[in-house]
Amino acid sequence: SQELEQSPQSLIVQEGKNLTINCTSSKTLYGLYWYKQKYGEGLIFLMMLQKGGEEKSHEKITAKLDEKKQQSSLHITASQPSHAGIYLCGADPGNQFYFGTGTSLTVIP
Amino acid sequence: EPEVTQTPSHQVTQMGQEVILRCVPISNHLYFYWYRQILGQKVEFLVSFYNNEISEKSEIFDDQFSVERPDGSNFTLKIRSTKLEDSAMYFCASIRGVLREKLFFGSGTQLSVL
């Protein structure tokens, strides 16, 4: 089965700072999803990356996919308290869609 | 944007009781999933369902669990005899095709087993 390891496990940053979350797969990545979960709530779709080298941005969040390294990174620029939550990467859907271990982000105003 | 709908949002039950969690996937979607998340832990895959049968299931999905698509719109997860450790948030998800499309999640059902 595919394992998705995220780092760091948790992150506390000052508002306005940049940050990066990484997701490393044990198997070849054919696509990678990023979701955000607010504490105790559902899963919000952020981005889907389909090809190696692909980079997507939405507002202040940028995600990249490095298929060779079997890795994806999520970068937040000038973080805000609204960015707080748990960030989850997910493998390409098939019979079984896996989530990463999760990164908990706290942004201190 | 289309939504996956889950009901109820909260369910409290006594240990040993049966519960049915309901989901209405997006209408033209073909693949359906159930996940669970125990408080403070990872989101875990339970089961996937396609063409009216289970495609794949995890070790968590034992004989106490079953899934059904009783009609053209609902997708249910049944836990026959709930245990304390079944307390978790249960998420339903659906996707139209298999490859490289957005997986839509419901907002979850928080199950509390007392």
Side-chain angles (χ1 to χ4, degrees):
Chain A
S1 63
Q2 185 163 26
E3 297 289 330
L4 295 170
E5 192 70 33
Q6 286 183 236
S7 62
Q9 192 174 10
S10 66
L11 203 48
I12 302 173
V13 298
Q14 204 74 42
E15 183 177 357
K17 295 292 186 187
N18 302 336
L19 63 105
T20 299
I21 298 168
N22 293 303
C23 174
T24 303
S25 172
S26 61
K27 293 187 177 180
T28 303
L29 282 169
Y30 296 104
L32 197 285
Y33 294 66
W34 284 100
Y35 284 83
K36 178 185 172 186
Q37 183 181 27
K38 287 191 175 179
Y39 297 103
E41 295 185 18
L43 296 156
I44 302 162
F45 173 81
L46 294 175
M47 263 170 261
M48 176 175 64
L49 303 166
Q50 297 181 318
K51 295 177 287 192
E54 186 173 12
E55 182 175 317
K56 284 189 177 177
S57 292
H58 176 66
E59 297 179 345
K60 293 186 178 179
I61 301 176
T62 301
K64 297 179 191 179
L65 178 62
D66 186 336
E67 275 185 351
K68 287 182 184 174
K69 291 185 181 176
Q70 295 177 186
Q71 238 179 24
S72 177
S73 60
L74 185 88
H75 184 77
I76 299 177
T77 304
S79 57
Q80 299 166 359
S82 60
H83 287 128
I86 300 169
Y87 288 81
L88 298 162
C89 61
D92 198 23
N95 283 334
Q96 202 173 141
F97 180 88
Y98 285 93
F99 280 104
T101 47
T103 296
S104 173
L105 173 64
T106 303
V107 181
I108 301 170
Chain B
E1 189 170 60
E3 284 185 349
V4 174
T5 307
Q6 285 187 246
T7 54
S9 56
H10 291 88
Q11 174 91 46
V12 181
T13 190
Q14 293 289 329
M15 191 168 59
Q17 295 295 306
E18 174 184 285
V19 293
I20 297 176
L21 309 183
R22 291 186 163 76
C23 170
V24 179
I26 294 168
S27 61
N28 63 346
H29 283 192
L30 301 176
Y31 294 81
F32 314 113
Y33 303 81
W34 281 102
Y35 292 83
R36 79 169 186 193
Q37 185 179 34
I38 294 170
L39 185 65
Q41 296 187 25
K42 184 178 168 175
V43 176
E44 300 172 294
F45 168 80
L46 292 177
V47 66
S48 59
F49 192 86
Y50 169 71
N51 201 25
N52 286 320
E53 59 183 28
I54 291 173
S55 304
E56 199 156 346
K57 57 185 181 179
S58 71
E59 291 173 355
I60 303 166
F61 195 88
D62 62 21
D63 292 343
Q64 293 298 313
F65 291 89
S66 62
V67 288
E68 200 178 30
R69 191 154 159 83
D71 52 44
S73 58
N74 290 286
F75 179 50
T76 61
L77 175 70
K78 184 195 287 186
I79 309 174
R80 267 183 265 284
S81 177
T82 50
K83 298 179 265 214
L84 295 175
E85 54 265 37
D86 293 327
S87 296
M89 179 77 95
Y90 288 80
F91 293 105
C92 171
S94 72
I95 194 165
R96 188 178 57 172
V98 176
L99 294 177
R100 303 184 183 182
E101 294 188 14
K102 179 179 167 184
L103 189 62
F104 288 80
F105 281 88
S107 53
T109 294
Q110 179 65 56
L111 175 65
S112 298
V113 182
L114 305 179

